[in-house]
C-alpha cells in the first residue's frame, strides 16, 4: 500500500501531463529551477513547497528543492533575496520569513516588500496548540489550568526563534498569563514534532499539516485547538482556540512563492500558471491540512503581507518579544 507522500505525488504527476506543451513552448527556463525552503525537511512549509515543485515540473522543467534551515528561516530567505533575479531561484516562504523576522530583528538582512516579488500565497496553515499524550489535559481549558498549576514546569517547542510557531507560543503565554512556560526552539517544525510525539517535550504550537493530523488521529499527540477563525476542513472536529475559550488566539502561516526583486514580469506570469489552481490539487492541499488560496497573485500577496505586519507588530510589542 502506498503511503501518504506516494499518493500525493502520484496524484500530482497525473494532473501535470496536460501542461507539458506549455513548457515546450517557452525557452525559459534554460536550466533547473532552484526552490529554497528555509526550514528543515518535513515541516508544513517544506511539505507544501515540495508539492508545488512536483506540480510545476511540467511547466518549469526540473525543480530542485533545497532545504536551507536556520535562524527561523532567515538564512534561506536572505540567500534568495541576494540571488540573481533571473527566474532560476525562488523562495518558498511563509509568515516567519516574510512578516515576523523583518519586524522583530534589530537589523534585518532584507526587506520583505522591497527585496522580494511575492508571486502568490498558495495556501495558509494555521498554527495549533498540541500536547503529548502524557499531558493530563484533554481540552484547552484543562491545559491552561495545568500550566497555571505547574509554574515553570511546562515547556513548548517551536520551529525556531522568530518563527510564527514561536510567536504563537508567546501569544498563548501572554493571553493566559503564564510567562514562565519555557520556549524550546528547533531548526524547523519536523524535529520538534518528532520530539513531541516521543514525549521529549510536552507541548508545541506547530502549523497544522498532514503528519501532525496523523499523529493526532493515532493518539500519540492531542491537538487541543486550531489557532484560526474557522475550523479546518480536514479536521472539523477540532475546535478553534476561540471556541475553546481563548479569544484572540489567531496565528496562521502563509505558504507562498517569492522571487528576488527585479525578476521580469514574464517570469512572474509563467510562475502564475493555472496548474496550481486545479481542483484536484486544491483537494490534496485540504486533505493534507492546508487551506488553499487559489485566487492569490502579486498584488494580493503584497497587501496581505503588509496587513499581517501591521497586525503582528502590536502583538510582538505586547509580548515583549526580542530577537537579535
Amino acid at each position: 500500500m502506498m503511503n501518504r507522500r506516494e499518493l500525493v505525488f502520484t496524484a500530482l504527476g497525473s494532473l501535470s501531463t496536460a501542461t507539458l506543451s506549455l513548457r515546450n513552448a517557452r525557452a525559459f527556463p534554460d536550466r533547473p529551477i532552484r526552490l529554497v525552503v528555509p526550514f528543515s525537511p518535513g515541516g508544513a512549509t517544506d511539505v507544501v513547497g515540495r508539492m508545488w515543485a512536483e506540480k510545476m515540473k511540467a511547466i518549469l522543467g526540473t525543480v530542485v528543492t533545497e532545504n536551507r534551515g536556520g535562524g527561523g528561516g532567515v538564512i534561506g530567505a536572505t540567500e534568495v533575496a541576494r540571488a540573481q533575479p533571473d527566474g532560476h531561484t525562488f523562495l518558498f516562504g511563509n509568515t516567519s520569513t516574510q512578516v515576523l523576522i523583518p519586524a522583530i530583528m534589530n537589523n534585518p538582512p532584507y526587506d520583505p516588500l522591497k527585496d522580494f516579488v511575492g508571486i502568490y500565497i498558495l495556501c495558509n496553515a494555521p498554527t495549533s496548540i498540541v500536547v503529548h499524550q502524557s499531558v493530563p489535559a484533554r481540552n484547552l481549558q484543562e491545559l491552561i489550568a495545568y500550566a497555571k498549576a505547574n509554574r515553570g514546569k511546562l515547556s513548548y517547542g517551536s520551529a525556531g526563534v522568530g518563527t510564527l510557531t514561536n510567536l504563537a507560543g508567546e501569544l498563548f503565554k501572554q493571553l493566559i498569563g503564564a510567562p514562565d512556560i519555557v520556549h524550546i526552539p528547533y531548526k524547523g517544525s519536523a524535529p520538534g514534532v518528532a520530539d513531541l510525539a516521543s514525549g521529549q517535550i510536552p507541548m508545541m504550537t506547530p502549523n497544522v499539516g498532514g503528519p501532525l493530523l496523523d499523529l493526532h488521529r493515532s493518539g500519540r499527540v492531542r491537538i487541543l485547538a486550531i489557532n484560526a477563525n474557522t475550523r479546518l476542513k480536514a479536521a472539523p472536529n477540532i475546535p478553534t482556540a476561540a471556541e475553546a475559550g481563548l479569544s484572540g488566539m489567531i496565528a496562521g502561516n502563509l505558504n507562498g512563492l517569492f522571487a528576488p526583486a527585479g525578476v521580469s514580469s514574464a517570469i512572474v506570469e509563467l510562475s502564475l500558471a493555472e496548474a496550481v489552481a486545479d481542483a484536484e490539487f486544491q483537494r490534496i492541499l485540504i486533505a493534507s491540512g492546508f487551506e488553499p488560496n487559489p485566487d492569490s497573485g502579486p498584488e494580493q500577496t503584497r497587501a496581505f503581507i503588509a496587513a499581517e505586519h501591521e497586525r503582528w507588530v502590536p502583538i510582538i510589542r505586547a509580548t515583549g518579544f526580542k530577537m537579535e
Side-chain angles (χ1 to χ4, degrees):
M1 180 180 291
M2 289 190 293
N3 60 30
R4 176 185 292 270
R5 182 175 180 136
E6 290 171 334
L7 285 169
V8 166
F9 286 161
T10 298
L12 293 179
S14 65
L15 292 173
S16 299
T17 303
T19 60
L20 283 170
S21 60
L22 289 175
R23 174 190 164 196
N24 294 333
R26 295 173 170 86
F28 171 84
D30 58 12
R31 60 184 185 277
I33 297 292
R34 179 174 175 244
L35 179 69
V36 175
V37 177
F39 301 100
S40 61
T45 299
D46 177 62
V47 169
V48 183
R50 291 178 183 276
M51 290 170 67
W52 177 89
E54 185 69 20
K55 180 65 177 174
M56 296 299 290
K57 283 180 180 178
I59 298 169
L60 298 176
T62 301
V63 181
V64 178
T65 304
E66 293 185 14
N67 293 94
R68 301 287 287 166
V74 69
I75 293 175
T78 301
E79 191 173 312
V80 176
R82 296 173 179 172
Q84 290 295 318
D86 58 9
H88 290 87
T89 303
F90 291 95
L91 173 72
F92 204 81
N94 64 14
T95 298
S96 297
T97 60
Q98 307 309 116
V99 178
L100 300 180
I101 288 175
I104 62 182
M105 290 188 73
N106 290 329
N107 295 293
Y110 59 84
D111 183 308
L113 296 177
K114 293 180 179 178
D115 294 330
F116 289 97
V117 173
I119 297 175
Y120 49 56
I121 296 170
L122 183 61
C123 62
N124 287 282
T127 59
S128 56
I129 300 172
V130 191
V131 296
H132 182 256
Q133 61 181 345
S134 64
V135 175
R138 310 298 299 187
N139 57 55
L140 190 59
Q141 289 303 315
E142 289 183 3
L143 176 63
I144 293 171
Y146 177 80
K148 291 181 176 180
N150 294 272
R151 298 285 185 177
K153 297 181 180 180
L154 186 63
S155 60
Y156 80 93
S158 81
V161 176
T163 64
L164 180 68
T165 58
N166 180 195
L167 268 294
E170 295 304 303
L171 178 59
F172 175 73
K173 290 164 55 176
Q174 190 242 345
L175 289 174
I176 70 170
D180 49 3
I181 298 177
V182 178
H183 173 224
I184 301 175
Y186 287 83
K187 291 184 178 180
S189 180
V193 170
D195 273 6
L196 176 69
S198 66
Q200 298 299 308
I201 56 174
M203 172 184 166
M204 197 169 177
T205 48
N207 301 119
V208 181
L212 184 67
L213 289 173
D214 286 342
L215 289 170
H216 170 76
R217 289 161 182 151
S218 73
R220 295 178 65 187
V221 306
R222 289 193 292 275
I223 303 176
L224 301 182
I226 302 296
N227 302 325
N229 289 312
T230 59
R231 296 191 181 197
L232 275 179
K233 295 181 180 69
N237 60 313
I238 302 175
T240 66
E243 289 174 327
L246 190 58
S247 178
M249 191 64 219
I250 305 292
N253 206 13
L254 71 88
N255 288 282
L257 188 68
F258 300 85
V263 69
S264 74
S265 58
I267 291 174
V268 171
E269 188 65 27
L270 178 59
S271 302
L272 281 167
E274 294 180 2
V276 294
D278 182 278
E280 180 63 10
F281 186 65
Q282 304 302 314
R283 186 195 65 77
I284 294 168
L285 286 172
I286 291 171
S288 300
F290 304 105
E291 299 293 294
N293 192 25
D295 299 322
S296 183
E299 291 184 7
Q300 295 93 331
T301 299
R302 185 178 183 88
F304 183 81
I305 289 173
E308 279 291 271
H309 181 273
E310 291 300 313
R311 186 175 76 88
W312 273 104
V313 166
I315 295 173
I316 290 168
R317 290 173 178 167
T319 61
F321 189 90
K322 294 181 180 180
M323 181 178 178
E324 296 299 324

